[in-house]
Amino acid sequence: MRVAVLGASGRIGRDVVDVLKGRGHEVVAATREVGVDAYSGGGLAAALAGVEVVVDAINAATTETDAVVDFFRTIGHNVQSAAADAGVRRIVLVSIIGIDEFPAGHYAGKVAHERAYREGAVPVRVLRAAQFHEFTEMMLDWTTQGDTAYVPKMRTQLVAARTVAERLAAMVVEPDGADLVEIAGPHEVNLASATAKLAARRGVPAHVREVVLDDDPNHRLQADGALLPRPGAIIAGPTFDEWLDAHYPA
């Protein structure tokens, strides 16, 4: 099967490419580096020529609400239009668990992303994932000041990016399947506690502090568990501790 992967150089996209190639599929890695810009539409027609399925694993460089909503909404409309013209059979989109009520930032952008795709003619399957185990690495990169990382209060059920990529690859080839699927890791975790475990393995920063960001419109939903999977979600390992042992041996 010929599959185009948008965002093929990103965290989840490169794993999707690797899994699909490992299963014998022909993969078009559609990135800006090869002249494909899903936001402007540039290069999309050529990238989707002869493609049967499109995987959208694009991420945004901004979390400013208006900008990220515009970014994802525009991409959804552009890809739908190009996919319909190319005769694509379906689109598979990776999104985030529990985002429907979030009013701001990246979560609001992903809501717009999903809606834009649903408005098009090509059938869409959405895989809503919990935050990745790798999100703890991002937390340390984003929030460390001096010897302390300040991690927002969040209940989540971290899942490995590779596990999500494998599920996306399965949704590419399944002749039938649900329009919306959730996937999460085996256990609920506190994000700050998980990030502190990673910091201890790395040796830096010295401290991880959980904070409540009252100026963030999303903070209460994150803290109260809106990002946890619903009944019926796919629950898949490895656990966070198993992932940590594999990537950061004690």
Side-chain angles (χ1 to χ4, degrees):
M1 181 179 290
R2 184 175 171 87
V3 183
V5 179
L6 303 171
S9 60
R11 168 65 273 175
I12 190 69
R14 60 179 179 262
D15 275 347
V16 173
V17 169
D18 186 56
V19 172
L20 287 170
K21 285 184 174 180
R23 296 178 182 179
H25 299 289
E26 179 185 359
V27 178
V28 178
T31 66
R32 288 184 176 178
E33 288 75 17
V34 297
V36 181
D37 186 335
Y39 181 74
S40 70
L44 271 178
L48 301 192
V51 163
E52 297 176 70
V53 180
V54 173
V55 177
D56 184 341
I58 292 173
N59 202 1
T62 179
T63 59
E64 195 280 319
T65 300
D66 289 344
V68 75
V69 167
D70 172 71
F71 178 77
F72 279 126
R73 180 188 291 130
T74 301
I75 285 173
H77 288 150
N78 286 347
V79 175
Q80 261 287 5
S81 177
D85 289 344
V88 169
R89 284 168 31 192
R90 63 178 162 270
I91 297 165
V92 179
L93 171 67
V94 62
S95 190
I96 306 169
I97 284 173
I99 56 175
D100 300 279
E101 302 303 320
F102 280 81
H106 187 75
Y107 302 121
K110 291 302 289 184
V111 171
H113 204 187
E114 291 186 20
R115 288 176 179 169
Y117 271 117
R118 296 292 190 202
E119 291 168 359
V122 180
V124 180
R125 294 178 183 171
V126 177
L127 179 63
R128 284 187 169 186
Q131 285 65 43
F132 304 148
H133 294 323
E134 293 81 356
F135 190 54
T136 56
E137 297 171 322
M138 298 164 67
M139 281 292 102
L140 291 183
D141 292 341
W142 292 344
T143 71
T144 298
Q145 300 176 34
D147 67 352
T148 303
Y150 299 88
V151 178
K153 186 174 183 179
M154 179 187 294
R155 295 172 62 196
T156 181
Q157 206 152 313
L158 298 174
V159 64
R162 185 72 178 195
T163 300
V164 176
E166 290 169 350
R167 185 60 219 160
L168 282 168
M171 293 171 73
V172 165
V173 300
E174 289 171 347
D176 299 300
D179 292 340
L180 180 64
V181 178
E182 292 187 358
I183 187 168
H187 306 299
E188 178 183 337
V189 300
N190 171 277
L191 181 61
S193 296
T195 304
K197 287 184 177 181
L198 172 60
R201 291 290 177 93
R202 283 184 168 185
V204 290
H207 310 287
V208 174
R209 179 180 299 175
E210 182 176 78
V211 294
V212 176
L213 304 174
D214 291 325
D215 59 343
D216 180 356
N218 296 326
H219 82 273
R220 189 172 300 280
L221 287 166
Q222 291 181 159
D224 290 347
L227 297 171
L228 295 173
R230 297 175 300 179
I234 296 168
I235 304 300
T239 66
F240 179 72
D241 287 342
E242 290 168 340
W243 174 87
L244 194 62
D245 286 340
H247 290 80
Y248 296 89

